[in-house]
Amino acid sequence: MLCEAAKSKGFTVWVIGFGIPSLGSTLTNCATDAEHAALASNSTELKAKFQAIAETIGGLRLSQ
């Protein structure tokens, strides 16, 4: 319910699984879409995933 509430408000939801064999449908469906769900099996992959996320949100601007 929390994932759907966030997405309905326009938030992008990222799901990164670390050290698990799969995300499963619950976690995959929590992400905004399939491109926002990923697995990382080690710290190098995890760092790369977070770097990719940072690159996509780096241009965000806050306004009132």
Side-chain angles (χ1 to χ4, degrees):
M1 289 175 36
L2 291 174
C3 297
E4 293 306 316
K7 292 188 283 188
S8 73
K9 292 182 185 241
F11 291 104
T12 300
V13 179
W14 293 84
V15 176
I16 308 294
F18 181 65
I20 57 176
S22 70
L23 290 177
S25 62
T26 301
L27 288 175
T28 301
N29 292 335
C30 182
T32 297
D33 56 37
E35 293 182 16
H36 291 89
L39 285 171
S41 60
N42 58 53
S43 60
T44 301
E45 288 179 7
L46 184 63
K47 184 177 178 181
K49 300 290 183 194
F50 278 106
Q51 181 64 39
I53 292 169
E55 290 172 6
T56 64
I57 64 173
L60 291 178
R61 300 280 187 262
L62 299 177
S63 62
Q64 291 182 308

